[in-house]
């Protein structure tokens, strides 16, 4: 059973639109959540981290966390073609003593010019 | 360059050979993590190390794979007697020790391992 699930996509949005990326997790003890962007053939790059219920905004990006529903999302406002990439959702399990991340398989985003 | 450094970027080995992948964490970081990524898949955790200690190796195959992070020098992921299924991108990440639970991990550029 997957512990972090994402829709693989591709999710296609027109330039300037809002892209909404979603992620669910199964470990109710998870406390920390992260969104990474990965361009093809490149390394994952941290976009946002979120630890508390609610919204967290950073520029064009907003992360949302709902621990009751075990749901994390990433909104990208004013999407640009350069945002086209795979977005990876990660959680840190609630098990003490380890800081490993569990990653989803990623959602491929295409922003159409 | 203050980022996570991995080398080599590309490594080609024949079946049965050994592969050694190196990772130098960011300055000030003492926690190192290794992940493997197969084509079109997410990253799979392999092992988490601190200096001279393996903290969590729950994701690492029991056979042929080993990892170390010595007091001096980079962390090494070693794969013995490689097989075609070991072909993947291997990423190293690091994080600082202070409040490590909420410290994001920063990734290196990865080593692309190809097995002939």
């Amino acid at each position: 059973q997957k512990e972090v699930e994402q829709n693989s996509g591709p999710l296609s949005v027109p330039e300037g639109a809002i892209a909404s990326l979603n992620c669910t997790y199964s470990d109710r003890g998870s406390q920390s959540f992260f969104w990474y962007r990965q361009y093809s053939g490149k390394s994952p790059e941290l976009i946002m981290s979120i630890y508390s219920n609610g919204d967290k905004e950073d520029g064009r990006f907003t992360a949302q966390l709902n621990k009751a529903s075990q749901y994390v999302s990433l909104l990208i406002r004013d999407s640009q073609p350069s945002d086209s990439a795979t977005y990876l959702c990660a959680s840190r399990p609630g098990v003490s003593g380890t800081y490993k991340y569990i990653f989803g398989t990623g959602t491929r985003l295409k922003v159409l010019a | 360059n203050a980022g996570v450094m991995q080398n080599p970027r590309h490594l080609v080995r024949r079946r049965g050979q050994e592969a050694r992948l190196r990772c130098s964490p960011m300055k000030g970081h003492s926690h190192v993590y290794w992940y493997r990524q197969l084509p079109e898949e997410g990253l799979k955790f392999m092992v988490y190390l601190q200096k001279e200690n393996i903290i969590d190796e729950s994701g690492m195959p029991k056979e042929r794979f080993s990892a170390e992070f010595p007091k001096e020098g980079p962390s090494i992921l070693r794969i013995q007697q490689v097989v075609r299924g070991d072909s993947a991108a291997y990423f190293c990440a690091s994080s600082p020790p202070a409040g490590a639970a909420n410290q994001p991990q920063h990734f290196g550029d990865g080593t692309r391992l190809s097995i002939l």
Side-chain angles (χ1 to χ4, degrees):
Chain A
Q1 182 182 0
K2 289 186 180 179
E3 297 180 49
V4 176
E5 296 214 28
Q6 298 180 255
N7 188 322
S8 61
L11 172 66
S12 296
V13 300
E15 184 175 358
I18 296 175
S20 178
L21 304 159
N22 304 314
C23 169
T24 59
Y25 61 95
S26 60
D27 180 3
R28 193 169 283 280
S30 296
Q31 296 294 320
S32 309
F33 304 89
F34 307 88
W35 283 99
Y36 286 82
R37 177 175 63 196
Q38 187 176 28
Y39 294 110
S40 181
K42 302 296 185 183
S43 63
E45 173 193 8
L46 180 69
I47 299 293
M48 294 279 288
S49 59
I50 188 165
Y51 312 113
S52 304
N53 276 328
D55 295 1
K56 179 181 177 183
E57 187 173 320
D58 184 0
R60 295 187 297 115
F61 299 96
T62 298
Q64 299 174 318
L65 173 60
N66 183 326
K67 290 185 179 180
S69 300
Q70 296 177 239
Y71 178 91
V72 192
S73 66
L74 179 70
L75 301 178
I76 306 174
R77 288 181 298 282
D78 188 23
S79 295
Q80 301 298 310
S82 59
D83 293 327
S84 298
T86 296
Y87 288 80
L88 301 170
C89 173
S91 72
R92 189 180 74 77
V95 177
S96 65
T98 182
Y99 301 135
K100 69 182 180 185
Y101 289 178
I102 304 297
F103 281 89
T105 53
T107 297
R108 195 152 56 99
L109 174 66
K110 289 185 176 180
V111 180
L112 308 172
Chain B
N1 187 338
V4 179
M5 302 297 293
Q6 288 189 250
N7 68 82
R9 293 291 304 277
H10 300 274
L11 181 61
V12 179
R13 285 287 178 266
R14 297 189 179 279
R15 281 177 295 170
Q17 291 184 320
E18 178 179 290
R20 281 187 179 231
L21 288 62
R22 295 174 185 77
C23 169
S24 295
M26 287 179 70
K27 188 175 182 180
H29 288 194
S30 59
H31 294 222
V32 166
Y33 314 80
W34 287 93
Y35 294 85
R36 177 165 61 178
Q37 188 174 38
L38 295 170
E40 306 301 322
E41 293 190 12
L43 292 101
K44 300 293 186 188
F45 168 77
M46 298 183 74
V47 62
Y48 158 43
L49 310 102
Q50 297 176 20
K51 283 286 187 181
E52 299 185 279
N53 285 302
I54 296 175
I55 307 302
D56 181 354
E57 56 183 346
S58 59
M60 198 146 74
K62 296 287 187 282
E63 307 279 334
R64 304 188 296 110
F65 286 73
S66 62
E68 62 176 6
F69 189 15
K71 187 177 180 180
E72 302 290 337
S75 175
I76 306 287
L77 180 67
R78 181 182 178 205
I79 311 173
Q80 296 178 288
Q81 299 172 353
V82 295
V83 300
R84 288 239 171 94
D86 296 332
S87 295
Y90 292 82
F91 288 98
C92 171
S94 72
S95 68
N102 285 345
Q103 292 288 345
Q105 295 174 18
H106 296 270
F107 283 80
D109 287 336
T111 294
R112 272 77 180 167
L113 175 64
S114 298
I115 308 302
L116 302 179

